[in-house]
Amino acid sequence: MALAVPWAVRQALPAAIVAELETHFSAIGDFTVLAFDYSPIELIRRKQAGLATAPFQATVQWPGSAEYQAYVYGRREGQTTKQGIPLHGIILADVVALHESPLRVYESVGGASGSLSADLGGKAVTFSSVEALVTLARKFEAAEAGLGPRPIPALGSDNAGAGSSLVYNGGTGNAALPATAWTVGPKKILHIRVDFSDLVGEPKSGSTIYTAAYIKNLADTQVAPFYAASSYGQTSLTTTVTAEVFRLPSTAASYATAGNNTQLHTDARTAATAAGYVISSYDRVVVVFSSLASITGSQITYGGLANVGGPNVWVNGEYD
């Protein structure tokens, strides 16, 4: 980021040169942290193929954009999944260098002085002093410090006119939720079973078929007791499994070769919603499908994938 070409310099460059440079972005979008669970054999294969083996990966996406892998530093190294927050940084090809601050301070041009301006989620905000700018930045950082995907409602109406879409508390003052609300208490889990036109039938692994009864039994007799015990009774899970197997609109090969986990999950949610499931009433949503790892060129080769601090889970043919 420090080496990015300054705005004033970019303005003087030919368009053909600017087209080869990094692209700045500032928007309200989603910061997603993913945890990958690879089998030992798959880890060896990925290393031999020169593929990524890191257990964690961050992505960013905002309305109208592609989903970019994000490289982070500072406070964002420990940040969990957050939806609808101000993001800015630079795009280099198909990856993003993400700034740790919610605010992008405008570069001064020609020694201009006076009011201090910055960009917050794509909107210009003017400050009377550096102290006022820092105060607002710290408010947004504090609002994003919780464990769950939604910013803690810790901002009031004094957000320097940034717009109602950025007032995490609707302008009604500080009513911060406990930081642990995302992880403790009763949690409702929905398992959506899906198939594809080129990979038909109930999800399975070898001779084991992941029927609704199989998943429900494993979740109730093994998964739920594990969470209850390891949380010392502070967390409980109630599991619902779709009786139906929903056919997704794209082929298994198309999801797999594009590595499009987000679209796969979105399509599964859409199918379940159309069948009458109220997705918003569940705390976590698990999509279960037969393994896509054997598809030629597949990028979906994990056993399991999940948001860190978010609601989404993917089970790639390994529900055990």
Side-chain angles (χ1 to χ4, degrees), residues 67-193:
E67 185 175 29
Y68 294 96
Q69 182 177 354
Y71 289 85
V72 299
Y73 70 100
R75 75 181 181 95
R76 295 208 191 275
E77 288 185 314
Q79 190 173 34
T80 56
T81 296
K82 291 290 174 290
Q83 299 168 349
I85 62 173
L87 303 166
H88 76 92
I90 59 175
I91 304 170
L92 294 161
D94 58 351
V95 299
V96 155
L98 186 63
H99 204 287
E100 69 169 341
S101 174
L103 285 163
R104 178 190 175 193
V105 180
Y106 290 135
E107 301 166 11
S108 60
V109 180
S113 60
S115 61
L116 183 63
S117 296
D119 185 293
L120 180 64
K123 295 183 179 182
V125 185
T126 300
F127 300 90
S128 59
S129 65
V130 172
E131 289 75 15
L133 184 151
V134 171
T135 296
L136 183 64
R138 287 177 176 170
K139 281 188 176 184
F140 275 90
E141 291 173 5
E144 297 170 16
L147 295 175
R150 294 176 296 277
I152 298 171
L155 297 180
S157 57
D158 59 335
N159 66 334
S164 60
S165 64
L166 294 179
V167 183
Y168 290 151
N169 197 40
T172 58
N174 189 337
L177 294 172
T180 56
W182 181 252
T183 61
V184 302
K187 305 299 176 190
K188 295 175 63 179
I189 318 298
L190 175 64
H191 289 67
I192 305 174
R193 302 184 306 137

Side-chain angles (χ1 to χ4, degrees), residues 60-318:
V60 292
Q61 188 171 24
W62 55 94
S65 83
E67 185 175 29
Y68 294 96
Q69 182 177 354
Y71 289 85
V72 299
Y73 70 100
R75 75 181 181 95
R76 295 208 191 275
E77 288 185 314
Q79 190 173 34
T80 56
T81 296
K82 291 290 174 290
Q83 299 168 349
I85 62 173
L87 303 166
H88 76 92
I90 59 175
I91 304 170
L92 294 161
D94 58 351
V95 299
V96 155
L98 186 63
H99 204 287
E100 69 169 341
S101 174
L103 285 163
R104 178 190 175 193
V105 180
Y106 290 135
E107 301 166 11
S108 60
V109 180
S113 60
S115 61
L116 183 63
S117 296
D119 185 293
L120 180 64
K123 295 183 179 182
V125 185
T126 300
F127 300 90
S128 59
S129 65
V130 172
E131 289 75 15
L133 184 151
V134 171
T135 296
L136 183 64
R138 287 177 176 170
K139 281 188 176 184
F140 275 90
E141 291 173 5
E144 297 170 16
L147 295 175
R150 294 176 296 277
I152 298 171
L155 297 180
S157 57
D158 59 335
N159 66 334
S164 60
S165 64
L166 294 179
V167 183
Y168 290 151
N169 197 40
T172 58
N174 189 337
L177 294 172
T180 56
W182 181 252
T183 61
V184 302
K187 305 299 176 190
K188 295 175 63 179
I189 318 298
L190 175 64
H191 289 67
I192 305 174
R193 302 184 306 137
V194 303
D195 74 351
F196 315 86
S197 60
D198 56 341
L199 189 58
V200 176
E202 294 190 281
K204 64 180 180 179
S205 177
S207 61
T208 302
I209 300 175
Y210 300 139
T211 64
Y214 172 94
I215 294 175
K216 173 73 171 168
N217 178 68
L218 191 144
D220 288 348
T221 63
Q222 296 187 47
V223 180
F226 170 82
Y227 276 90
S230 49
S231 69
Y232 292 88
Q234 294 189 79
T235 299
S236 61
L237 307 185
T238 301
T239 297
T240 298
V241 186
T242 61
E244 312 93 321
V245 175
F246 297 109
R247 174 67 47 81
L248 297 194
S250 297
T251 63
S254 66
Y255 291 113
T257 54
N260 204 336
N261 297 294
T262 298
Q263 192 62 53
L264 192 158
H265 209 286
T266 298
D267 291 344
R269 283 169 167 257
T270 300
T273 298
Y277 292 90
V278 182
I279 302 297
S280 61
S281 68
Y282 295 93
D283 300 291
R284 308 289 190 274
V285 179
V286 185
V287 178
V288 184
F289 46 94
S290 295
S291 178
L292 308 186
S294 62
I295 294 173
T296 301
S298 177
Q299 297 184 52
I300 299 181
T301 60
Y302 51 78
L305 175 67
N307 295 157
V308 178
N312 296 341
V313 181
W314 296 254
V315 176
N316 183 27
E318 196 172 335

Side-chain angles (χ1 to χ4, degrees), residues 10 18-19 21-25 89-92:
R10 293 173 69 100
V18 174
L21 299 179
E22 69 281 342
T23 302
H24 289 275
F25 75 92
I90 59 175
I91 304 170
L92 294 161

